[in-house]
């Protein structure tokens, strides 16, 4: 049974960054978001974080946190669970 | 040991083709690139014909609207500061580098230079200045200056290709790119540079071309098949064209070490001025005559040894005749009758680009073994009586070739090319 | 004989005044329209980020340092040079009909500062202003 937050995050990444050639469900949970196969650059990372901040009401406050959170979809889900208000998470 | 300058690469973005093979085929077959072309939205415009480049759309003031052939990878940070003719130039440089077997990484050695020639972009200059005036000069496009003024080519291309050798531009109207070639030859011969990239480019649009109208320099012949007819008695002015042509010129031992093949060698060049009038040639073509004589002397060859002369002749009544007189003085009067032709009958007049374009044509002709004829010549002007003006291509390989260019103020340049 | 059968591109008749966002993705143009209609800050953010992306130099597309948006430095972290910043400012001036001085510009060094700055500028300029489209 897929984690709804992980599913949602994959869709969000594909949508926000307009990754036309990539199917959300195909992104591995442990795929690095930065410096990995998705080839995200600095503006991509920026857009993603802005979108995540709006979507989940989180506020990434340092480069360290950002690097940890964006290590992969899996670590992003962990970060969001730890920092978002519960009512912002998918059921 | 004298250093010699070889042409090792060519790039063409022209009205008769965007690659050497097409250009060569069209020159040999006598196929022109002129069409009915509305340069401005005004049915009263007397000028009906022009020779545009195909495959590019650069007529918007915004680079975001521009398109060019897909095979050329033009990154945004280079594109943002280009003039429309800079796009032509970039693509021609890429083509020439590939032709010469060079990549961008080869160019930053400090021994490679870049000489460019264009009149800048009158079109963009007008656009940026209109915007600036509208804002009372309180704001403007940060790329306004570098994209518009003469020099835009050298600024942009040197930055993009990270060239650390000699870089500058040449401004002598229709002799500009011929000057660029001449001084590039000298950079190599003097041992200052081992490789020179020479770029000639110009836009074809209302702002660049139509101001020649009030000078009565433009043809008003509405028939594309006859409007550009250098040396013909019915000629009435030139037809405009745009585009870019690039020559890669390398010192011979460098070219050999790289295993590069040469189209031809530049063995000399010369220049001289008319000292006569700001816009019209000396009636006897004195400056061009002297330029040719100096070039021949520099190359240590005699008029009798010359097989072919690519004339500047733009299809203007005065200019063509002046050149014919100069050619008679240099050649006919010593019993020499090289083949003479002006390829502007097929391409139109590329202004700043003309010299480089026609040097490129000479290089093709030498390598491939033919001499272009005067395609649209029917009734030669009386001044051409002693000249050898074939109408069609001769499948005879020229060994020694001259390339002439003349510009405003009576500036004249002549190159001497030899088969290697 | 004519050399080429492909039609040459004829110059367009007097060009109409177009929006600076004409060549941007539909989602961005929609965000801009939303901002114009509602003054919604999120929509403005979408446009500002799209403008940054449009001006991004190619060479920065390597493994990026990931700074959070508010402190991501335009010149250090995102790879813009001063000319690109001048271009971005010119673009934003055109889009929102505001005027940005050099003195104001040098104070904008991060994405956070840029977002806040544009919001403040546009708010100060009065009800949402855009160049009138034909």
């Amino acid at each position: 049974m897929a984690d709804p937050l992980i599913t949602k995050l994959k869709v969000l990444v594909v949508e926000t960054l307009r990754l036309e050639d990539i199917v959300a469900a195909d992104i591995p949970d442990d795929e690095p978001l930065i410096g990995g196969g998705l080839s995200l650059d600095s503006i991509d990372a920026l857009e993603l974080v802005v979108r995540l901040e709006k979507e989940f009401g989180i506020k990434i406050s340092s480069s360290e946190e950002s690097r940890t959170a964006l290590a992969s979809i899996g670590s992003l889900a962990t970060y969001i669970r730890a920092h978002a208000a519960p009512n912002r998470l998918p059921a | 040991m004298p250093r010699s300058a070889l042409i090792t690469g060519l790039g063409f973005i022209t009205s008769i083709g965007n690659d050497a093979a097409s250009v060569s085929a069209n020159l040999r077959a006598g196929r022109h690139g002129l069409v009915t072309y509305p340069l401005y939205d005004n049915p009263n415009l007397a000028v009906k014909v022009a020779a545009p480049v195909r495959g590019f759309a650069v007529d918007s003031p915004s680079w975001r609207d521009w398109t060019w052939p897909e095979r050329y990878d033009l990154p945004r940070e280079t594109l943002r500061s280009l003039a429309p003719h800079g796009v032509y130039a970039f693509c021609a440089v890429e083509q020439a580098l590939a032709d010469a077997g060079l990549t961008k990484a080869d160019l930053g050695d400090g021994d490679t230079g870049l000489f460019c020639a264009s009149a800048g972009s009158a079109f963009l200059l007008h656009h940026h200045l209109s915007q600036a005036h509208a804002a009372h000069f309180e704001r403007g496009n940060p790329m306004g200056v570098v994209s518009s003024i003469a020099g835009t080519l050298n600024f942009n291309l040197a930055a993009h290709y990270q060239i650390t050798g000699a870089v500058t531009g040449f401004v002598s109207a229709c002799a500009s790119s011929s000057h660029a070639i001449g001084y590039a030859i000298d950079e190599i011969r003097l041992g200052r540079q081992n490789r020179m990239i020479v770029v000639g480019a110009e836009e074809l649009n209302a702002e660049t071309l139509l101001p020649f109208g009030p000078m009565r320099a433009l043809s008003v012949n509405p028939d594309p098949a006859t409007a550009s007819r250098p040396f013909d008695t019915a000629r009435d002015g030139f037809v405009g064209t745009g585009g870019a042509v690039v020559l890669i010129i390398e010192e011979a031992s460098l070219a050999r070490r790289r295993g590069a093949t040469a189209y031809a060698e530049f063995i000399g060049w010369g220049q001289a001025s008319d000292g006569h009038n700001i816009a019209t040639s000396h009636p006897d073509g004195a400056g061009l005559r002297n330029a040719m004589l100096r070039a021949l002397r520099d190359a240590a060859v005699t008029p009798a040894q010359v097989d072919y002369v690519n004339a500047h002749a733009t299809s203007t009544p005065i200019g063509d005749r002046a050149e014919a007189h100069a050619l008679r003085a240099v050649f006919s009067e010593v019993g020499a009758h090289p083949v003479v032709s002006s390829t502007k009958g097929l391409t139109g007049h590329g202004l700043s680009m003309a010299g480089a374009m026609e040097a490129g044509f000479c290089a093709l002709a030498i390598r491939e073994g033919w001499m272009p004829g005067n395609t649209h010549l029917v009734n030669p002007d009386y001044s051409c009586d002693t000249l050898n003006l074939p109408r069609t291509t001769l499948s005879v390989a020229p060994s020694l070739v001259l390339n002439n260019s003349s510009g405003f103020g009576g500036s004249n340049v002549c190159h001497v090319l030899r088969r290697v | 004989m004519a050399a080429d059968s492909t039609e040459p591109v004829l110059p367009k008749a007097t060009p109409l005044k177009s929006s600076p966002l004409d060549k941007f993705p539909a989602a961005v143009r929609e965000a801009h329209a939303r901002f114009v209609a509602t003054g919604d800050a999120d929509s403005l953010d979408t446009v500002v980020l799209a403008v940054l992306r449009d001006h991004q130099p190619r060479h920065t597309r390597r493994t990026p340092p990931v700074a959070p948006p508010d402190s991501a430095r335009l010149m250090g972290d995102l790879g813009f040079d001063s000319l690109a910043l001048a271009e971005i400012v010119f673009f934003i001036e055109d889009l929102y009909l505001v005027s940005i001085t050099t003195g104001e510009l040098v104070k904008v060094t991060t994405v956070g500062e840029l977002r806040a700055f544009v919001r403040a500028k546009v708010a100060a300029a009065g009800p949402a202003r855009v160049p009138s489209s034909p």
Side-chain angles (χ1 to χ4, degrees):
Chain A
M1 174 78 162
D3 176 347
L5 176 57
I6 295 242
T7 307
K8 177 166 184 158
L9 287 176
K10 290 181 182 176
V11 169
L12 199 143
V13 165
V14 170
E15 265 177 19
T16 308
L17 304 176
R18 290 175 297 277
L19 301 174
E20 288 152 359
D21 301 332
I22 296 180
V23 175
D26 289 347
I27 303 176
D29 290 10
D30 58 357
E31 174 75 35
L33 289 172
I34 310 296
L38 294 172
S39 312
L40 303 191
D41 61 30
S42 49
I43 303 255
D44 290 329
L46 204 59
E47 277 198 84
L48 190 55
V49 169
V50 168
R51 176 79 191 270
L52 292 169
E53 287 180 346
K54 286 184 184 132
E55 189 78 22
F56 300 106
I58 52 171
K59 192 80 180 167
I60 299 186
S61 58
S62 75
S63 299
E64 271 319 298
E65 276 198 354
S66 166
R67 229 179 295 270
T68 310
L70 293 179
S72 70
I73 294 274
S75 51
L76 188 56
T78 305
Y79 179 89
I80 288 170
R81 280 214 167 83
H83 294 86
N87 64 347
R88 304 291 287 267
L89 297 170
Chain B
M1 181 71 185
R3 292 161 55 91
S4 37
L6 302 182
I7 302 171
T8 57
L10 293 173
F12 293 96
I13 302 292
T14 73
S15 61
I16 59 167
N18 291 344
D19 60 83
S22 308
V23 166
S24 175
N26 286 324
L27 285 173
R28 299 181 76 161
R31 281 190 294 261
H32 66 83
L34 280 64
V35 290
T36 301
Y37 196 77
L39 280 151
Y40 192 78
D41 189 17
N42 175 5
N44 293 333
L45 213 51
V47 174
K48 306 284 193 215
V49 172
V53 159
R54 276 59 158 186
F56 289 71
V58 289
D59 57 324
S60 159
S62 169
W63 55 264
R64 288 185 172 83
D65 296 331
W66 295 349
T67 63
W68 58 89
E70 267 183 23
R71 67 182 165 284
Y72 300 108
D73 178 24
L74 180 41
R76 187 216 174 272
E77 51 271 30
T78 298
L79 177 62
R80 65 179 177 175
S81 49
L82 290 179
H85 67 284
V87 180
Y88 299 150
F90 176 86
C91 296
V93 173
E94 291 284 287
Q95 207 190 111
L97 290 174
D99 189 36
L102 292 165
T103 65
K104 182 176 163 184
D106 297 315
L107 307 180
D109 58 0
D111 291 327
T112 297
L114 171 72
F115 284 174
C116 300
S118 84
S121 176
F123 163 72
L124 270 191
L125 199 59
H126 175 244
H127 171 73
H128 290 310
L129 288 174
S130 300
Q131 278 193 333
H133 273 282
H136 306 291
F137 284 93
E138 287 172 13
R139 57 181 298 270
N141 190 320
M143 301 307 182
V145 177
V146 295
S147 61
S148 314
I149 65 175
T152 178
L153 290 179
N154 23 306
F155 311 153
N156 277 284
L157 295 172
H160 174 84
Y161 289 104
Q162 299 180 305
I163 294 179
T164 52
V167 175
T168 190
F170 292 82
V171 185
S172 50
C174 310
S176 300
S177 53
S178 280
H179 271 115
I181 288 173
Y183 286 106
I185 294 168
D186 282 352
E187 285 294 293
I188 289 175
R189 296 198 299 188
L190 291 168
R192 291 185 188 137
Q193 302 283 249
N194 288 332
R195 176 188 298 127
M196 292 298 299
I197 301 172
V198 179
V199 181
E202 202 80 283
E203 281 161 28
L204 173 66
N205 49 38
E207 288 79 0
T208 290
L209 189 70
L210 293 181
F212 284 89
M215 298 182 73
R216 307 285 182 253
L218 298 175
S219 172
V220 297
N221 182 341
D223 177 16
T226 57
S228 182
R229 42 189 162 188
F231 297 125
D232 195 286
T233 47
R235 66 195 186 278
D236 71 323
F238 74 85
V239 172
T241 189
V245 174
V246 172
L247 292 85
I248 310 289
I249 305 173
E250 290 183 283
E251 195 274 319
S253 56
L254 165 63
R256 244 189 327 268
R257 265 194 319 274
R258 287 202 311 111
T261 46
Y263 286 86
E265 181 184 352
F266 280 114
I267 61 169
W269 75 287
Q271 60 171 315
S273 304
D274 289 348
H276 171 70
N277 178 277
I278 186 167
T280 52
S281 315
H282 187 283
D284 297 328
L288 185 51
R289 181 190 74 224
N290 291 333
M292 285 190 275
L293 291 173
R294 287 183 180 173
L296 292 168
R297 200 156 49 235
D298 187 46
V301 295
T302 66
Q305 294 173 283
V306 175
D307 298 309
Y308 170 61
V309 180
N310 183 293
H312 178 68
T314 63
S315 194
T316 60
I318 294 175
D320 293 8
R321 183 170 297 156
E323 184 161 13
H325 288 314
L327 289 165
R328 190 192 64 233
V330 173
F331 293 101
S332 315
E333 285 178 10
V334 298
H337 297 280
V339 169
V340 174
S341 71
S342 171
T343 47
K344 292 185 176 71
L346 298 179
T347 61
H349 182 16
L351 305 175
S352 304
M353 175 180 83
M357 176 163 67
E358 287 147 25
F361 293 167
C362 290
L364 288 177
I366 288 173
R367 161 113 118 209
E368 297 170 6
W370 46 269
M371 292 184 276
N374 297 274
T375 307
H376 299 143
L377 180 58
V378 176
N379 298 308
D381 188 82
Y382 75 86
S383 57
C384 302
D385 277 357
T386 65
L387 302 179
N388 179 4
L389 297 165
R391 312 300 195 254
T392 57
T393 304
L394 301 180
S395 295
V396 175
S399 295
L400 204 66
V401 170
L402 258 52
N403 176 37
N404 288 346
S405 296
S406 305
F408 284 145
S411 203
N412 302 281
V413 177
C414 175
H415 310 130
V416 185
L417 297 93
R418 183 175 63 194
R419 189 163 68 208
V420 291
Chain C
M1 259 184 287
D4 203 307
S5 57
T6 44
E7 283 305 303
V9 175
L10 300 180
K12 295 181 186 47
T14 319
L16 301 169
K17 190 157 192 339
S18 51
S19 163
L21 293 179
D22 270 357
K23 291 286 187 289
F24 282 64
V28 177
R29 285 181 274 125
E30 283 155 24
H32 178 63
R34 250 189 336 268
F35 171 72
V36 166
T38 68
D40 161 46
D42 279 357
S43 300
L44 177 57
D45 270 353
T46 301
V47 175
V48 169
L49 281 174
V51 172
L52 285 179
R53 176 182 295 288
D54 184 63
H55 290 80
Q56 182 188 28
R58 175 184 295 188
H59 65 80
T60 62
R61 288 168 204 176
R62 299 165 295 205
T63 310
V66 187
D70 280 352
S71 55
R73 289 164 304 160
L74 295 165
M75 292 201 5
D77 299 321
L78 299 181
F80 291 108
D81 61 26
S82 56
L83 258 190
L85 286 184
E87 279 189 280
I88 288 165
V89 162
F90 181 69
F91 190 95
I92 289 173
E93 285 181 322
D94 249 5
L95 191 56
Y96 295 113
L97 297 180
V98 294
S99 179
I100 300 173
T101 68
T102 307
E104 291 169 323
L105 177 58
V106 297
K107 294 185 191 138
V108 174
T109 60
T110 66
V111 175
E113 284 165 6
L114 181 64
R115 283 152 98 193
F117 177 75
V118 174
R119 262 184 230 151
K121 263 289 176 182
V122 174
R129 305 167 64 193
V130 287
S132 53
S133 322

